[in-house]
Amino acid sequence: MNWNFNVSIISTIVVIFVLVLFYRNREEDEGYLGWKLVGYYILGTFNLKVGILIPIGFIIWLLLFYPKTNRIIKRYSAIFGLLMMLIGHWIY
């Protein structure tokens, strides 16, 4: 098997596991919270590479998103996306 394929499978399993943990640790019930966590994660992974790696999605999240419910897990989801983006950039 290809090494990159194995890393992709493992990282996908880790992402799903962590997002499920975030969902289970929610502070209050909220409609479509699972999809929102996936969105915050994806936003955290957006980047722009122009000589250096710029985490544009995370910057947008910091400037524009102020959730009223489940703040902590949404913040963790975006930070986890940033972390996975950095790890992915380092590995590949």
Side-chain angles (χ1 to χ4, degrees):
M1 276 204 163
N2 187 357
W3 186 79
N4 287 337
F5 182 72
N6 290 338
V7 171
S8 295
I9 290 173
I10 292 169
S11 64
T12 302
I13 292 169
V14 167
V15 167
I16 291 170
F17 179 75
V18 170
L19 289 178
V20 168
L21 281 178
F22 289 162
Y23 182 80
R24 287 187 175 181
N25 290 325
R26 64 188 178 271
E27 298 159 357
E28 56 188 89
D29 288 333
E30 180 178 345
Y32 304 107
L33 180 61
W35 290 112
K36 291 176 184 179
L37 292 178
V38 170
Y40 278 101
Y41 168 78
I42 291 172
L43 188 62
T45 61
F46 281 155
N47 62 65
L48 178 65
K49 187 173 182 180
V50 186
I52 62 169
L53 187 67
I54 302 170
I56 195 75
F58 191 75
I59 293 169
I60 290 170
W61 173 77
L62 284 175
L63 296 175
L64 300 178
F65 287 85
Y66 303 103
K68 292 183 169 85
T69 58
N70 294 310
R71 274 182 190 197
I72 295 172
I73 61 169
K74 289 176 182 175
R75 179 182 313 138
Y76 287 165
S77 185
I79 292 170
F80 180 63
L82 175 68
L83 178 67
M84 290 302 286
M85 183 264 302
L86 292 173
I87 290 171
H89 178 70
W90 179 65
I91 289 176
Y92 297 110

